[in-house]
Amino acid sequence: MENIVLIGFMGSGKTTIGREIALLGGRFLLDTDGLIEQNMGKSVREIFASVGEKGFRKIESQLILWLSANVKNAVIATGGGMPIYNDVHYLGKVFWLDVGFESIIKRLDSIEKKKRPLFEDMTKAQSLFNERKPIYEKQAQYVIGGSAKPTEIAKKIVSLMNERVI
């Protein structure tokens, strides 16, 4: 079966919804930032500090190649920037979790905001959100409103995938 690929801005619920989809659909959840952190033995923040954004994006590209060749029937929650710098269609069916910036800010507690250095400057974060939105839309095969409960969003995505099965 084809992979389900979740894209969207940081804090849009990709991992949370991915976990729900995995439970509903008998799939495994793979979080790309988590895979990179595990492989590198460092947090994303530490990787950015040591190799910069360009180096991190190269690592993401290598991960995409590996996942596309080796993983089937999974839910893949991408990092927020992965679909901005890479074509993620190779990974499977792409679903954009379209969540407004204000909703994302409300979802993230202080610990989550600390993990994401981008949220240290809200004006910069808002600007990046606005820049990325049309790219997410272009990459997506399906646009899913992300304001419903994670279980409901997961059910909708599983239903859309099941419609494609003949």
Side-chain angles (χ1 to χ4, degrees):
M1 285 177 70
E2 198 165 11
N3 294 321
I4 295 171
V5 182
L6 303 177
I7 65 171
F9 200 68
M10 294 173 282
S12 63
K14 298 178 297 286
T15 301
T16 301
I17 292 165
R19 193 174 297 116
E20 293 290 333
I21 294 169
L23 291 171
L24 286 171
R27 296 171 183 257
F28 283 97
L29 170 64
L30 301 173
D31 181 285
T32 61
D33 282 350
L35 290 170
I36 290 170
E37 287 177 335
Q38 188 175 27
N39 188 56
M40 301 298 291
K42 297 177 182 178
S43 69
V44 170
R45 181 185 278 261
E46 292 169 327
I47 297 167
F48 264 76
S50 65
V51 299
E53 183 173 14
K54 189 174 181 180
F56 183 79
R57 299 304 173 196
K58 184 175 180 181
I59 294 166
E60 280 185 327
S61 295
Q62 293 167 340
L63 179 59
I64 288 171
L65 291 173
W66 184 84
L67 288 170
S68 64
N70 295 291
V71 175
K72 302 288 179 256
N73 197 33
V75 181
I76 300 172
T78 68
M82 182 180 267
I84 304 304
Y85 299 95
N86 300 280
D87 185 351
V88 294
H89 291 103
Y90 299 110
L91 298 175
K93 285 290 167 209
V94 181
F95 293 82
W96 171 34
L97 301 179
D98 184 12
V99 180
F101 187 75
E102 291 303 318
S103 295
I104 290 171
I105 297 305
K106 288 177 187 174
R107 287 181 182 179
L108 298 177
D109 61 22
S110 60
I111 295 168
E112 283 299 310
K113 286 178 185 168
K114 270 189 177 171
K115 286 185 198 174
R116 297 170 164 96
L118 186 65
F119 287 110
E120 291 170 4
D121 180 343
M122 285 299 169
T123 303
K124 194 173 181 179
Q126 173 81 56
S127 177
L128 188 62
F129 175 85
N130 293 337
E131 288 173 24
R132 287 183 173 184
K133 196 170 181 174
I135 301 169
Y136 292 138
E137 188 171 20
K138 186 177 179 184
Q139 285 263 14
Q141 290 157 297
Y142 298 94
V143 178
I144 305 292
S147 60
K149 291 181 180 180
T151 306
E152 295 306 313
I153 296 169
K155 285 179 183 175
K156 183 174 185 174
I157 291 171
V158 169
S159 173
L160 287 167
M161 288 299 288
N162 288 340
E163 286 176 8
R164 297 181 42 79
V165 177
I166 296 175

